[in-house]
Amino acid sequence: MTMKNITTYLTRTAAGLLLLMACKKDNYVGKDPYADARAPLNIKIDKTTADPAAGVPGTTVTITGSGFLKYKDSGMVVKFNEVAATITTVTESTITAKVPDNASSGIISLTVNRQLFAGPTFRVTGPVTPDLQFRSVPGADKNTIITIGFVPGGKYLIGGSFTDYDNSGAKNGYKGLARINPDGSLDRDFKVGKGIDGFVTCVAVQASGKYIIGGSINNYDDRFKGGYVRNIVRLLPGGAYDSTVVVTQLGNHDTVPALNAYLDASVENILQTPDSGKLVLVGNFTYFMRKNFAGITTDGKRDSVMTDSIRMEGLVRLNENGSFDSTFNYDAARRRSYEGANGPVTASQIQPDGKIILAGFFTRYHGQTTGPVVRLNTDGSIDNTFNTGAGPDDRVNFVELLKDGRYLIGGVFSKVNGKEAHRLAVLNADGSLYNGFSVGVGVNAGPNGLPSRAIQLKNGKIFVAGFFDTFSGVKRAGTVILDEDGKMSNGYNTMGGLSGSISTMLNVPNGNATIMAGSFSRYDLLPLNSIMLLRY
């Protein structure tokens, strides 16, 4: 090694020693961040079952496990679905507590020294309960049941986006449409063939027994091509397409839909006039159309089918036979409808006197300032005797006709005509806010606090469904039953959470029961597949 290399080596070694000396520090151990954590408690709970597994409020319930007695006086808390209960006895292996008055079905939990232990589920029973004899399972195979119509004789017509019902075994399933028996089983005498191309949002049963089906529909049973099916169809009672034969200009015979009516966009609701059975269609369409089979090509050798169209902005009425009714919402001078809403119409109802309520997220209708709720006369003109003032300050999702002639509305709003009305309100028959109804805090705040549907039950109470976790601070996951003044109905809110959503509700004509459908898999701890019958 040369002198130069030795010098370089010694220099590098010295630098390395200095670096090591610089990096050496006294060992220091900081405070253990978990030193103050509570030691795990030697508590175990049997999660399989409580004794009993179900009962009314006030029932004495026993949960089992081990390690309880040591913590008897350590602030032990038992809750039924997040509602605190009164503990009556504690032993080493059991805890006994009474179901609190405002509890609902769910998990029994134990809290000791701020540590939470999940226990078994408990079903709180009350006056409202799913009918377990109603065939909710297997129900709709997937997606949603959107609408229900009552069929004279006790059956129901259901529509939506499902592809089969009750594991039908049919070659093409029951796509978008089915008829079910009073017990919820599939009525196999109603045959839909290849079913709906699209999805169904509304149904109506005519006095003749025929069915009107609306929605976003491109075809039915793959029957007609070339634009002969557009968002509305009429079926015979057995499910076959109602068709007729027309004779063309050249003497040819052509089979076409008997209902000569077409819309350029979806039909969201079908309302039937109480006196004449006329059909009021509400939807997202702009044009009503019909086929004219009297055409012929210029060379005179071929038939030509023409399409006549009339601008009808979101609202049109048909006679019972399906022909266009020019006496409703029609400006004959301009050969079109009056101006529709300047925003979405999300809800519509027809009164016993034939007047129509529309609600949604709009501020003008027929060119007039209206707010998001408007009432129409039987000819489609605005009813100026109905005045909401400033009205709801945000979107209205639904409107429900109440027995006393008032209207329940629900949506995103927080005020009606300047007065507090958190998500739910009742309007008088003249459109003013009814002060005898108030939910107080109501559904929880935030984007997950939203009522989406409601119905007044036959006993006068109001069933509200939606996307919320609590109501007036009480655990209510997805449903709540109110008294007519808007307060939670004492003893009627024992049902557990809804896993999904409810799209439609219909009171059963005979008996205190309501059929509900949507997209859900469980309710009140029970497996219920998108449809159920509640009895009360």
Side-chain angles (χ1 to χ4, degrees):
M1 179 179 293
T2 65
M3 182 60 68
K4 181 179 181 180
N5 290 338
I6 291 173
T7 303
T8 301
Y9 172 76
L10 292 174
T11 301
R12 289 177 177 175
T13 301
L17 290 172
L18 289 172
L19 181 63
L20 288 173
M21 292 175 65
C23 292
K24 186 176 180 181
K25 297 182 180 179
D26 294 335
N27 292 331
Y28 172 77
V29 179
K31 182 180 179 181
D32 182 357
Y34 302 104
D36 295 331
R38 290 177 174 81
L41 305 181
N42 189 26
I43 289 178
K44 294 182 180 179
I45 296 181
D46 181 3
K47 297 182 180 181
T48 58
T49 186
D51 183 23
V56 299
T59 300
T60 299
V61 180
T62 300
I63 58 174
T64 59
S66 62
F68 299 145
L69 190 58
K70 178 181 177 181
Y71 305 99
K72 178 181 178 180
D73 300 317
S74 300
M76 180 180 286
V77 178
V78 171
K79 292 184 178 181
F80 286 75
N81 200 18
E82 301 186 17
V83 178
T86 300
I87 299 174
T88 56
T89 60
V90 179
T91 71
E92 178 64 19
S93 59
T94 65
I95 298 175
T96 301
K98 286 188 176 182
V99 181
D101 289 339
N102 56 348
S104 57
S105 302
I107 293 176
I108 301 175
S109 64
L110 171 66
T111 302
V112 179
N113 289 344
R114 299 176 64 183
Q115 295 188 43
L116 179 67
F117 301 87
T121 58
F122 184 86
R123 186 160 174 258
V124 184
T125 57
V128 181
T129 184
D131 184 348
L132 299 183
Q133 301 304 311
F134 185 83
R135 193 177 175 88
S136 298
V137 179
D141 65 335
K142 59 182 178 180
N143 294 323
T144 306
I145 298 174
I146 300 173
T147 184
I148 303 173
F150 179 73
V151 179
K155 297 182 180 182
Y156 304 94
L157 194 65
I158 61 172
S161 57
F162 53 88
T163 58
D164 197 18
Y165 188 85
D166 202 15
N167 286 345
S168 69
K171 180 180 179 181
N172 296 295
Y174 274 75
K175 189 177 179 183
L177 189 66
R179 190 170 66 195
I180 61 176
N181 295 309
D183 66 353
S185 62
L186 179 67
D187 178 6
R188 298 176 186 274
D189 292 333
F190 182 80
K191 302 183 186 303
V192 301
K194 294 182 180 179
I196 298 288
D197 179 8
F199 58 88
V200 174
T201 58
C202 47
V203 298
V205 180
Q206 295 187 289
S208 63
K210 295 180 180 180
Y211 305 140
I212 305 294
I213 313 298
S216 181
I217 303 171
N218 300 310
N219 211 334
Y220 175 77
D221 193 20
D222 202 23
R223 180 72 186 278
F224 296 103
K225 303 290 186 182
Y228 277 89
V229 181
R230 293 290 298 276
N231 302 313
I232 186 169
V233 299
R234 186 169 68 196
L235 306 180
L236 298 174
Y241 209 120
D242 185 13
S243 60
T244 189
V245 176
V246 297
V247 180
T248 67
Q249 284 289 88
L250 297 180
N252 295 315
H253 292 71
D254 193 6
T255 301
V256 298
L259 179 65
N260 190 3
Y262 312 86
L263 290 308
D264 67 326
S266 64
V267 176
E268 297 299 315
N269 201 5
I270 302 173
L271 307 173
Q272 290 179 284
T273 58
D275 55 345
S276 60
K278 292 184 177 183
L279 305 169
V280 179
L281 310 182
V282 184
N284 299 314
F285 52 85
T286 303
Y287 288 93
F288 167 82
M289 298 170 287
R290 53 192 173 188
K291 302 293 184 182
N292 185 338
F293 301 98
I296 192 170
T297 57
T298 55
D299 60 10
K301 295 181 179 180
R302 295 183 303 277
D303 291 308
S304 177
V305 179
M306 298 177 291
T307 300
D308 298 328
S309 64
I310 305 172
R311 189 176 182 91
M312 299 298 295
E313 296 182 2
L315 183 70
V316 65
R317 189 167 72 188
L318 309 182
N319 295 308
E320 193 171 12
N321 64 4
S323 60
F324 175 72
D325 183 357
S326 62
T327 67
F328 179 84
N329 190 38
Y330 185 67
D331 185 348
R334 296 189 297 164
R335 297 182 180 180
R336 53 156 291 170
S337 72
Y338 297 97
E339 284 74 12
N342 65 339
V345 174
T346 56
S348 54
Q349 293 278 2
I350 192 165
Q351 300 180 174
D353 63 1
K355 292 186 177 183
I356 294 169
I357 290 284
L358 301 178
F361 195 38
F362 54 88
T363 58
R364 296 178 64 81
Y365 199 83
H366 282 190
Q368 300 181 32
T369 299
T370 60
V373 184
V374 64
R375 187 167 69 193
L376 307 180
N377 293 308
T378 55
D379 63 355
S381 62
I382 290 180
D383 180 3
N384 291 316
T385 67
F386 181 87
N387 184 5
T388 62
D393 63 355
D394 210 324
R395 181 187 182 104
V396 177
N397 288 334
F398 65 83
V399 58
E400 170 72 5
L401 302 181
L402 301 179
K403 295 177 182 179
D404 60 7
R406 295 186 172 96
Y407 312 96
L408 173 70
I409 59 173
V412 187
F413 56 85
S414 58
K415 293 183 179 181
V416 175
N417 202 15
K419 297 181 180 179
E420 294 294 330
H422 186 64
R423 303 289 195 266
L424 290 165
V426 170
L427 304 180
N428 290 308
D430 64 0
S432 60
L433 181 66
Y434 174 55
N435 294 321
F437 179 94
S438 175
V439 298
V441 175
V443 300
N444 52 275
N448 63 332
L450 183 66
S452 59
R453 290 290 183 273
I455 190 170
Q456 187 171 32
L457 306 178
K458 287 187 172 183
N459 59 10
K461 297 183 184 297
I462 298 169
F463 187 103
V464 180
F467 304 93
F468 49 87
D469 302 314
T470 62
F471 193 93
S472 295
V474 178
K475 179 74 172 180
R476 293 302 314 141
T479 68
V480 65
I481 295 180
L482 309 178
D483 288 326
E484 294 180 75
D485 63 359
K487 302 300 186 291
M488 282 185 60
S489 186
N490 186 35
Y492 273 79
N493 284 282
T494 61
M495 305 84 64
L498 177 75
S499 61
S501 61
I502 292 174
S503 302
T504 182
M505 297 182 274
L506 179 69
N507 286 328
V508 175
N510 300 317
N512 285 341
T514 302
I515 189 168
M516 303 182 179
S519 178
F520 51 84
S521 57
R522 295 183 70 83
Y523 184 54
D524 200 24
L525 302 180
L526 301 171
L528 302 167
N529 195 11
S530 295
I531 191 167
M532 60 181 169
L533 181 67
L534 287 189
R535 294 198 178 275
Y536 44 91

